[in-house]
Amino acid sequence: MVGASLAGLRAAEELRCEGFEGGITVVGDEVHAPYDRPPLSKQVLAGHWDVDRLPLTVGVDGGIDALDLEWRLGTLATGLDLDARQVILVDGERLGFDGLVIATGATPRRLPGSEGLAGVHTLRTVDDCLAVRDDVDAGARRLVVVGAGFIGAEVAATCRTRGLDVTILEALPVPLGQALGEEMGSVMAGLHRDHGVDVRLGTAVAGLDGGDDGRVERVRLADGTSIEADLVVVGIGVTPNTSWLEGSGLTLDDGVVCDATTLAAPGVVGAGDVARWPSRRFGELMRVEHWDNAIAMGAHAARRLLAWLEAERAGDEATRELEPYDPVPWFWSDQYDRKIQLAGRSAGADEVRVVDGSTDERRFVALYRRGDRVVGALAMNRPRQLLAYQRLIDHGASWAEAIGSADPNVRS
Ligand SMILES: Cc1cc2nc3c(=O)[nH]c(=O)nc-3n(C[C@H](O)[C@H](O)[C@H](O)COP(=O)(O)OP(=O)(O)OC[C@H]3O[C@@H](n4cnc5c(N)ncnc54)[C@H](O)[C@@H]3O)c2cc1C
């Protein structure tokens, strides 16, 4: 197992739950035991939670210890030798394996030229979060968030709630446009503006300037203007952690490419933010950066690996049915007092229609249509309704069925 976080731990748990009794080594380059990331941009940054609430737990009696895992934390994997079936560690040690789970997640992209400037952060790890929080606690007043994806939007909301002056800079015409599409992205811009955030769209960053003390002082924009800042959080997307797999023979293309069952090579499966797989349901090669996917795919990959090991022992690849991994992806985001949830896909939608509530009230459900099918549902402060539409998407419901299904009992 390489990657000691959500997908990796869930895979280890599933291996044990399915009766695997062999040794499981978990290699992770962070020094911390597996912890949960979503609170980093929410409760921990807000100062409501301390980090002792972050460690991940498992559902088996006796907790993580009962999984009997051999931990290799603070240890970077630097290579994979598929022929020898070995993972190569940073100190040159080679760990042999019968089966391998790749769950190395992703790393935030950095803004070129921002290296070494104090007060400029990305947010992926608990250490990143504490560094941002320390700056806020030390009195930072003017936050500029570069990039309005989910992490940037959550950092903006949390820091605004803490009283900072916040500016969001986004190169695209709307925030969260890639995730939600243009129309719903505009609703998100409105949500932030409601709370006094300066949302600047179609705005490119030219560079960052620091003072004599080496601390960021302003963000220069491509139009020649600049914005004063004593704290900058860069949220311009992530790169899947596959550099250690280069030259291994695995297919790497914006992630480690797996088949529809999560198998990347004989005896090797991928899971979580690092993994891409062909979804039959949505007809696309997917890579999903959601908490729920890391859990579901980690478990699926573990079962797939066990099927492969069993087949290898029996000398027959067809000993167990090879179930494809084809979920309806789902995520949530908390911004101000709003819970935003998306089930399914919004990309490539032919139409988006509000079917419940209203965007002005910031309380609604919108559905996304591709052809004659409903492919996605976005909810703001409508969690129960979202669940109902998620089920319809899961069943492959038609657009007409979804539109006609607005259940008065589900409405609140
Ligand atoms: C701040 C934040 C807020 C989030 N909020 C939400 C949310 O509200 N809702 C939601 O659905 N999702 C959210 N997510 C996304 C969710 O946390 C991720 O999808 C999930 O953590 C992915 O799990 P993973 O195990 O695939 O990868 P990761 O959690 O990234 O773990 C991968 C691990 O592998 C390690 N690693 C990488 N390369 C190597 C190597 N070569 N050798 C050894 N170890 C290596 C990494 O250091 C890391 O510890 C959030 C993420 C962040 C960062």
Side-chain angles (χ1 to χ4, degrees), residues 302-312 316-317 319-322:
R303 292 192 297 273
R304 179 63 185 97
L305 186 57
L306 288 175
W308 187 88
L309 291 168
E310 188 182 302
E312 193 191 39
D316 174 11
E317 177 62 9
T319 45
R320 268 168 67 166
E321 197 184 330
L322 303 180

Side-chain angles (χ1 to χ4, degrees), residues 5-7 29-30 37 42 77 104 124 151 273 290-291 332:
S5 184
L6 190 59
D29 65 344
E30 291 186 72
R37 296 184 200 274
K42 308 175 184 73
T104 42
R124 182 82 191 179
I151 304 291
D273 284 16
H290 303 163
W291 186 88
W332 84 97

Side-chain angles (χ1 to χ4, degrees), residues 143 155-166 192 195-197 336:
L143 165 68
V155 169
T158 303
C159 288
R160 182 69 196 130
T161 305
R162 289 194 63 172
L164 276 75
D165 293 334
V166 178
H192 285 275
H195 289 84
V197 171
Y336 311 102

Side-chain angles (χ1 to χ4, degrees), residues 113-336:
S114 64
E115 301 82 5
L117 209 51
V120 181
H121 305 272
T122 54
L123 180 47
R124 182 82 191 179
T125 67
V126 63
D127 302 304
D128 295 338
C129 171
L130 293 179
V132 180
R133 193 171 84 174
D134 284 351
D135 277 355
V136 176
D137 291 345
R141 297 300 319 150
R142 293 179 309 266
L143 165 68
V144 173
V145 173
V146 180
F150 276 101
I151 304 291
E154 288 193 348
V155 169
T158 303
C159 288
R160 182 69 196 130
T161 305
R162 289 194 63 172
L164 276 75
D165 293 334
V166 178
T167 304
I168 296 178
L169 303 177
E170 170 57 53
L172 296 173
V174 293
L176 297 155
Q178 280 167 342
L180 306 183
E182 205 150 304
E183 217 173 315
M184 292 300 128
S186 298
V187 177
M188 295 304 301
L191 175 68
H192 285 275
R193 287 179 176 137
D194 292 348
H195 289 84
V197 171
D198 181 1
V199 182
R200 302 198 193 181
L201 304 168
T203 304
V205 170
L208 304 178
D209 292 336
D212 294 339
D213 58 356
R215 221 190 143 75
V216 68
E217 283 192 338
R218 80 187 55 78
V219 180
R220 271 181 292 108
L221 305 181
D223 65 5
T225 62
S226 62
I227 304 170
E228 303 286 302
D230 49 17
L231 179 61
V232 173
V233 175
V234 179
I236 53 174
V238 296
T239 307
N241 290 322
T242 55
S243 58
W244 67 285
L245 298 168
E246 270 160 28
S248 66
L250 295 183
T251 305
L252 306 179
D253 176 13
D254 185 35
V256 58
V257 179
C258 304
D259 72 8
T261 70
T262 71
L263 198 69
V268 180
V269 289
D273 284 16
V274 74
R276 260 182 118 191
W277 80 100
S279 163
R280 293 178 193 171
R281 184 193 295 276
F282 295 103
E284 57 184 288
L285 203 53
M286 305 230 287
R287 191 174 65 75
V288 172
E289 297 165 11
H290 303 163
W291 186 88
D292 185 60
N293 182 65
I295 290 180
M297 198 173 188
H300 190 102
R303 292 192 297 273
R304 179 63 185 97
L305 186 57
L306 288 175
W308 187 88
L309 291 168
E310 188 182 302
E312 193 191 39
R313 255 194 316 274
D316 174 11
E317 177 62 9
T319 45
R320 268 168 67 166
E321 197 184 330
L322 303 180
E323 190 195 330
Y325 178 66
D326 212 3
V328 175
W330 167 83
F331 73 78
W332 84 97
S333 173
D334 296 324
Q335 298 175 36
Y336 311 102

Side-chain angles (χ1 to χ4, degrees), residues 27-38:
V27 177
D29 65 344
E30 291 186 72
V31 292
H32 311 287
Y35 61 89
D36 213 15
R37 296 184 200 274

